[in-house]
Amino acid sequence: MLYRHLDDRRAETARRLESVLHDETVGTPQALTERDAAAAMYTDRLAALRAAEHGLVFGRLDTDEGERRYIGRLGMLDEQNEYEPILMDWRAPAARPFYTATAASPEGIRRRRHLRTRRRELLAVDDEVLDLDDPTAANSSRSGLTSEAALLAAVGASRTGRMADIVATIQSEQDAIIRSKPSGVLVVQGGPGTGKTAVALHRAAYLLYTHRDRLARRGVLVVGPNPTFLRYIGQVLPSLGETSVVLGTVGQLFPGLDARRAEPVAVSEVKGRIEMAAVIAAAVRDRQQLPRKPIRLVVEQQEVRLDRDVVGAARTRARRSRKPHNEARRIFRKEAIRLLAEQVARSIAGAAGTRGLLDAGDLSDIRDELGESPELARELDALWPTLSAQELLTDLFADERRLNSVARRLPAQDRALLLRPKPAPDADPSTVWSPADVPLLDEAAELLGDDGSEAAAREAEALREEISYAQGVLDVLDLEEDLDPELLRATDVVDADRLAQRQAVRRWDSTADRAAADREWTYGHVIVDEAQELSPMAWRLVMRRCPSRSMTIVGDIAQTGDLSGSSSWQEALGPYVANRWRLEQLTVNYRTPAEIAAVADDVLAVIEPGLAAPRSVRSTGVPPRAVAVDAGTLEDAVAKIVMEESAEVGEGRTAVLAPLARVEALHERIVGAPEGGEVDLEAPVVVLPISAAKGLEFDAVVLVEPAEVLAESPRGANDLYVALTRSTQRMAVVHAEPLPAMLHRLS
């Protein structure tokens, strides 16, 4: 019955969308915009209804009063029966007992039924009896987990290369975080496998459901550690019916740029330091120059002298306005022209042998003449140029003298790391800028501002594209040879410019589209995953996106691998919210089997002595194994072990995690020559550096040379901990060098 209602909803929504799209009514621009908004709404709704096909209904609550509540991905009403609810959205308050009720606190629930399905086929039914008077209640749960059978079936299933939602198996401690109030900064600290990412994404869906009026206007931003991770989680929110959330890495938070240039970790570490904010500010001020010697010009037969006094006074006036550089440039130019006009007036009065000869009108005329001088404009532009963030940083990093001047706070060896030649004018921006550059670009853009030229250029380019497309349409129509020459053609009644303008009116962008394209957009809520990896400069960028500080920060300090990452949450958040943030901890490891977790816990004890490891809830009976090999045959040995592990996990996924220096050779030996594209997480075997595996999980993991992992970075132990906690089933450690002492359980 539920699927019949779903089909009816889809058909009705598709019909309405078709009707809107084929509405030929030509009205006002407002009417056209409303039509496009309606089309977008129906498109989003249809996408949500299609996503609900898998696991539409996954639970049922039987109350003490005999009521039955079916729980699912979205809410549905019976339109034929006085709109009675037939399926309850998992986010609704009445659905919460499905995740929180226990035998000790049943919340009015007598029985919880969990339905496991594959598409429209019912596979299994698991019941939990919460009535203590029922003799089966004592055996309904062995570990305090909600819907234990369904949970263990989900975490033990083969991985697909894409993250699945946990909407059917949310546990009580996770539910409390998902439904907590949106205001303020919430930090979710949890070890590997505790479901941090899933909790964060379900929290985004929950907040959009319960606070849609506010968040629909401002949007929700989810920041992930790398593009591979974003592809891994990309299906979760659509499967929960939410398609309007903006997902991005730090390298994608500067509109129009997807920064992916690889650079040494030492360079990224320098760029991530908080001192770089002062360096960028100094670089902006450095471009507000004084002339080294007086500049003499002749304007309308009058000589003007542009010297340090005139320029210095104009610069001081512009700086005191507190406006961004490009906006203050107009003040600088106006003040310089005013001072030069007074200079000209004094010269004229002196030549005439009198004082006070010129009145206000004469001064205004002189200012107008100076303002129209191209020579003077060129000199003033050189002294206070209009700059983009990209121009500022490109010039700074390519000029050793300038860099040494503005970056005195940095040691000489660190300044040397920042130097690089100017890229070719036609270079792909994604290969010019690294993710660590983006916070610097954002800092520069904040200080530079926009004088309108960049926005005008974007609008002009968009209009040129519209006109070009419109002209192409008209050309095609005009080529119709069979038309009666006496009949009007399209080109007789409309030209390309007018057609482009009419089409532009009909463009409608979603909140997510507008937010992603606007650097100054502020979001209603921001979620940061793997937040421990953010550098101080990246935190400045993220905080700018959310002045309200309505944020969910998700991570694990013990997994910090980036050299500029955080060693404590107070260190990361203190500069922005002092101690006004609250902490929630996830304590149960659902991913890692106890046999592998025991090895990882030894590494954690070295990283953070005394820190309690998350409790693993399951065991596979398969201990991790260590395989010693000869250094000369390491790659062949890894390939052989990958075949063995892949055979054991069948349709699951196997990952080879290795030190960065070995990834390329192992990739070529096991998978094939790298093609420079994205990592295919749905492939049976992938080869990754450990930094790219954060947040991911695989059925089997083959870890290569842990001693090299430790030596590769000052935070090598953190990387080793990450690698040891990616597996859901099996783990093999291949080594030619002796195993580190912290892996003594593998000896």
Side-chain angles (χ1 to χ4, degrees), residues 20 25 27-41 502-509:
V20 168
T25 302
T28 64
Q30 179 180 349
L32 293 171
T33 300
E34 289 174 352
R35 183 181 73 175
D36 289 343
M41 179 187 69
R502 292 180 65 180
Q503 289 301 111
V505 169
R506 297 166 62 168
R507 299 170 74 179
W508 187 88
D509 293 328

Side-chain angles (χ1 to χ4, degrees), residues 165-442:
D165 64 69
I166 60 168
V167 64
T169 57
I170 294 171
Q171 298 300 295
S172 180
E173 70 172 6
Q174 297 172 328
D175 182 78
I177 295 170
I178 290 170
R179 297 176 189 265
S180 63
K181 62 182 182 179
S183 58
V185 177
L186 171 64
V187 175
V188 182
Q189 162 75 34
T194 54
K196 299 183 299 298
T197 298
V199 166
L201 296 175
H202 287 68
R203 177 164 168 76
Y206 173 78
L207 292 177
L208 283 165
Y209 175 83
T210 54
H211 303 278
R212 190 168 296 276
D213 288 346
R214 177 170 67 85
L215 294 182
R217 293 193 303 271
R218 302 309 312 168
V220 174
L221 170 67
V222 176
V223 182
N226 54 61
T228 302
F229 176 84
L230 292 184
R231 290 198 310 278
Y232 177 66
I233 68 172
Q235 296 177 346
V236 175
L237 284 167
S239 76
L240 298 174
E242 299 297 345
T243 58
S244 60
V245 176
V246 177
L247 276 72
T249 66
V250 168
Q252 296 168 336
L253 293 185
F254 196 84
L257 179 62
D258 184 4
R260 302 198 181 197
R261 176 176 176 268
E263 63 185 2
V265 293
V267 178
S268 296
E269 190 275 328
V270 173
K271 291 179 178 179
R273 294 179 195 171
I274 195 63
E275 289 83 4
M276 287 302 298
V279 171
I280 300 300
V284 172
R285 292 172 68 87
D286 183 64
R287 302 303 292 268
Q288 301 163 1
Q289 301 176 24
L290 298 176
R292 294 183 178 179
K293 60 182 181 179
I295 301 171
R296 298 182 183 276
L297 301 169
V298 177
V299 179
E300 294 295 328
Q301 300 181 347
Q302 294 293 324
E303 182 180 281
V304 294
R305 187 171 184 268
L306 196 60
D307 56 20
R308 294 178 70 88
D309 290 340
V310 171
V311 176
R315 184 176 72 171
T316 299
R317 178 71 178 272
R319 285 178 173 177
R320 285 177 177 172
S321 71
R322 303 287 185 180
K323 291 181 178 295
H325 171 91
N326 288 331
E327 296 175 27
R329 174 181 170 275
R330 292 191 289 270
I331 299 173
F332 168 78
R333 187 175 185 275
K334 182 177 180 180
E335 182 66 8
I337 289 174
R338 184 186 72 80
L339 294 172
L340 290 174
E342 291 180 354
Q343 184 186 111
V344 171
R346 288 193 299 272
S347 176
I348 293 174
T354 183
R355 299 180 64 84
L357 181 66
L358 304 181
D359 58 18
D362 295 325
L363 283 171
S364 178
D365 291 341
I366 295 173
R367 288 195 297 270
D368 290 344
E369 291 171 356
L370 291 171
E372 293 171 359
S373 169
E375 293 82 6
L376 178 58
R378 185 167 55 250
E379 295 295 343
L380 292 177
D381 286 345
L383 294 170
W384 192 297
T386 299
L387 294 168
S388 69
Q390 291 91 330
E391 289 173 330
L392 180 78
L393 261 65
T394 296
D395 293 344
L396 177 63
F397 291 156
D399 189 332
E400 184 176 5
R401 181 201 60 79
R402 176 171 284 153
L403 184 60
N404 287 335
S405 174
V406 303
R408 295 191 186 102
R409 292 169 177 254
L410 300 178
Q413 64 269 24
D414 292 339
R415 295 198 297 269
L417 290 173
L418 296 176
L419 284 171
R420 68 187 191 204
K422 283 189 177 182
D426 59 348
D428 182 353
S430 67
T431 65
V432 171
W433 303 103
S434 72
D437 285 323
V438 170
L440 306 185
L441 289 169
D442 195 70

Side-chain angles (χ1 to χ4, degrees), residues 695-707:
L696 310 184
E697 55 185 34
F698 307 91
D699 296 273
V701 168
V702 177
L703 172 60
V704 180
E705 285 293 17

